[in-house]
Amino acid sequence: MAETESLLETPLAGLHRELGGRMVGFAGYAMPVQYAAGIMAEHLACRSSAALFDVSHMGQAELRGEGAAAALERVTPAEVAALRPGRQRYALLMNRFGGIVDDFMVANLGDRLFLVLNASRKAVDLEAIGAALPAGVALVPRPDRALLALQGPGAESILAGLAEGVAAMPFMGVLETSVAGIPALVTRSGYTGEDGFEIGIPAEGAETVARALLAAGAAPAGLGARDSLRLEAGLPLYGQDIDETTSPVEAALTFSIGKRRRLAWDFPGAERVREELDSGPKRLRVGIVPDGRQPARAHTPIAQGGITVGEVTSGGFGPSLGVPVAMGYVARAAAEDGTALELMVRGRAIPARVAPTPFVPHRYKRTPILQGVAP
Amino acid sequence: MSQTRFAESHEWVRLDDGLAVVGISTHAQDALGDVVFVDLPEPGREVEAGEAVAVVESVKAASDIYAPVAGTIAAVNAALVDDPALVNRDPMGEGWFFTITPRDAADADKLMDADAYAKHAEAGN
């Protein structure tokens, strides 16, 4: 079919078809939206045991050279310079108007930084980061690498059977090891709210690793389950919940702005971020729970007493909750938890309320020592 | 009960004692995936053939359901309100959506029979 002909494939394209993957176009790639089990079963498998996602469409790149961390700080408000070797952090790439160009992960591998970028934004990101680099710092895209996400409460025991050292990793830890005999860059992170790992490997080793993880009990899961899992976990999706017009304050992502950066205000868009932190943003990203069973999808208008106060940016059914959930932007006055709203679905007002996120509690592998420290 | 007929938009219709019973095909429910909500029309509503009258929501998306024949909505399947997954489990039977009192009972004959529909669905429509 013509529309799929121009799509790129990941190194696991053959395996997806073998597993009955229903392929769709996403960010220029042919990706499985689901396998034979279906989105609901794949979602629940991730929450109850372990699911394996191919996320090789995402961008991977290395930042090498003296001063790489300082260079990256020119385009992100994250604390990169103090990121210790063997640690990873969530960061925002910003434009000078205080909008979000992308959200990404940055890991410190000791001799270099390693970035994971959204598939739909990787070309934009590489250009923006590249333009900010001084002589001596090089940005090296790694399209030769595949990326797998193994997520769920059973992820640790599955991966520990195939790789040394992974069970001891803390949330957001980074380890260069080997998985099923293939050299791998493993991080303890993900996009589901569950404990789990992202496993970076050379493209030619991807199928070996994926088959080993499936044989050890992981259920294959597609982009459909990835979306419903991240929605329940309250995690934003770039291009839907955040974009170049939304600020980190509006998007409720200020946790990703380093403390030192808030003193120096030395990142793109700092003026807007500072103003919004001081005076409050006009709108805020919030969780929303509709009454009843009817889902409210992206772009559903949000009203209060018949007056529009915002818009849903992601919405659907939460398979773990058995009810619909959504997130979206509302005027600050309507952003308090419990605030009654109306979602205008096909001309009818569905009662809803603002709710705290995550809708399903995160179950990350936090290190016990941090849990004992007073805030 | 008459032969089951199919619309190009994947609804089926079966005449039962003068009433047109309408649902979605096995192929359609498979393509949609897990159904989580069904928005049904008001009984008494006048509908034209091809008019969007109901909505079926799966985990990933919402899809319109079209009236395969013109007439008046007679009844809706209340069981789908509490158990929308009936559409997946028994699309051609217990998972019916609504009934129409057809303006002209012969309208259903203009739709595809099972063989023609199977070819239509197989062609990726």
Side-chain angles (χ1 to χ4, degrees), chain A residues 67-322:
Chain A
L72 191 60
E73 286 193 354
R74 291 182 180 179
V75 289
T76 177
E79 171 65 78
V80 185
L83 182 63
R84 284 172 287 132
R87 299 291 299 168
Q88 176 176 258
R89 179 161 287 169
Y90 174 80
L92 301 174
L93 189 62
M94 302 276 295
N95 66 30
R96 64 196 172 94
F97 306 109
I100 301 170
V101 175
D102 198 7
D103 60 343
F104 67 104
M105 289 289 192
V106 51
N108 185 348
L109 304 189
D111 61 342
R112 63 202 191 280
L113 298 176
F114 199 91
L115 312 180
V116 177
L117 314 163
N118 278 304
S120 62
R121 300 297 287 175
K122 59 188 177 185
V124 172
D125 297 351
L126 291 172
E127 194 173 319
I129 296 166
L133 301 181
V137 179
L139 180 63
V140 185
R142 297 299 306 267
D144 55 312
R145 294 184 68 82
L147 191 64
L148 303 176
L150 177 68
Q151 299 281 297
E156 181 185 283
S157 70
I158 288 176
L159 192 60
L162 298 165
E164 293 282 343
V166 294
M169 293 173 70
F171 178 58
M172 290 296 210
V174 180
L175 184 69
E176 291 184 86
T177 179
S178 70
V179 178
I182 306 291
L185 175 62
V186 177
T187 66
R188 196 153 200 166
S189 61
Y191 193 45
T192 61
E194 297 297 325
D195 179 28
F197 302 86
E198 292 198 347
I199 304 161
I201 47 218
E204 61 273 18
E207 195 169 324
T208 300
V209 173
R211 286 189 189 277
L213 295 168
L214 293 170
L223 292 184
R226 187 167 162 83
D227 191 48
S228 54
L229 287 158
R230 69 94 194 165
L231 175 61
E232 284 186 343
L235 302 171
L237 171 62
Y238 195 90
Q240 214 164 297
D241 308 300
I242 50 177
D243 60 30
E244 294 207 24
T245 71
T246 56
S247 77
V249 185
E250 292 175 333
L253 297 172
T254 49
F255 72 89
S256 71
I257 304 177
K259 286 200 186 79
R260 175 174 56 81
R261 312 302 306 278
R262 289 192 210 200
L263 295 172
W265 301 107
D266 58 347
F267 53 87
E271 204 174 305
R272 174 175 173 190
V273 170
R274 189 174 191 173
E275 162 64 21
E276 289 181 351
L277 283 173
D278 287 347
S279 315
K282 289 193 182 67
R283 55 178 181 169
L284 264 172
R285 183 173 66 92
V286 295
I288 299 162
V289 177
D291 287 359
R293 299 185 60 109
Q294 180 158 14
R297 309 285 175 177
H299 308 299
T300 297
I302 304 171
Q304 214 181 19
I307 296 162
T308 302
V309 295
E311 190 179 271
V312 171
T313 50
S314 283
F317 187 78
S320 312
L321 300 163

Side-chain angles (χ1 to χ4, degrees), chain A residues 1 22 33-34 37-41 224 228 293-297 315-317 319 345-346 348, chain B residues 30-37 39-40 55 57-62 64 80-84:
Chain A
M1 285 191 281
R22 194 170 288 171
V33 65
Q34 63 165 82
I39 295 175
M40 195 89 85
S228 54
R293 299 185 60 109
Q294 180 158 14
R297 309 285 175 177
F317 187 78
V345 180
R346 296 186 282 278
R348 279 204 305 263
Chain B
D30 181 58
L32 286 171
D34 304 300
V35 172
V36 297
F37 181 78
D39 198 358
L40 296 165
V55 175
E57 303 241 14
S58 68
V59 177
K60 64 176 186 283
D64 284 321
L80 298 185
V81 175
D82 291 325
D83 186 11

